[in-house]
Amino acid sequence: MATFFCPGCWHDFNEDLIRCPNCGLVIHEFWNSKDYLEKLILALRHPEPTTPVRAAWLLGKIGDPRAVVSLIEIVKETDDLYLAREAIKALGAIDTPQARHFIRTLANHPARMIRAEAGAALSTKK
Ligand SMILES: [Zn+2]
């Protein structure tokens, strides 16, 4: 059984609905108005846990600075260390001054995995 999600409120349904019954968003219209990068940024908040990790990885590969603010928010908000790690990697790859500054603030993060990833992201810089 396929599961569909509303990209506005992340409510899930069993069918591909035109309008979200939960928040009223016209899903197809909304989705068609977004470009690929915007869809990936929205996918950072997808409730199915592997999807945000893949989205963060792709955003790092694409390297578009428009993703920086959203990636920083995800690192701050998520409890998922794997997602945070992938987002830090992506920020390191995108490498804007804002991304670098944020990665430096993670040097004292309580999670060792996050400190290690932040260190690795900065050490690859020339
Ligand atoms: Zn919705």
Side-chain angles (χ1 to χ4, degrees):
M1 188 173 64
T3 305
F4 296 88
F5 291 96
C6 167
C9 67
W10 297 115
H11 207 85
D12 61 327
F13 341 103
N14 298 326
E15 53 183 320
D16 191 7
L17 298 172
I18 289 168
R19 182 184 291 271
C20 172
N22 190 51
C23 73
L25 183 78
V26 183
I27 295 169
H28 286 194
E29 204 173 284
F30 174 82
W31 205 236
N32 291 337
S33 73
K34 302 292 172 193
D35 68 20
Y36 182 59
L37 192 89
E38 290 169 324
K39 285 176 187 172
L40 282 177
I41 288 171
L42 287 167
L44 288 171
R45 298 184 185 277
H46 199 285
E48 198 277 306
T50 61
T51 300
V53 176
R54 269 204 313 269
W57 181 81
L58 276 164
L59 287 167
K61 294 285 161 205
I62 294 167
D64 191 316
R66 284 188 291 160
V68 167
V69 170
S70 302
L71 287 165
I72 289 174
E73 279 171 10
I74 284 296
V75 176
K76 285 180 179 167
E77 290 167 21
T78 186
D79 298 324
D80 180 342
L81 290 179
Y82 292 93
L83 173 57
R85 187 171 69 173
E86 207 56 52
I88 294 163
K89 241 184 243 176
L91 285 166
I94 297 170
D95 195 26
T96 63
Q98 188 186 12
R100 267 198 304 277
H101 174 79
F102 175 70
I103 295 169
R104 281 195 202 100
T105 69
L106 299 173
N108 299 313
H109 195 280
R112 188 168 172 268
M113 198 167 119
I114 298 304
R115 293 198 303 272
E117 194 58 52
L122 291 173
S123 70
T124 57
K125 303 293 158 266
K126 292 150 204 106

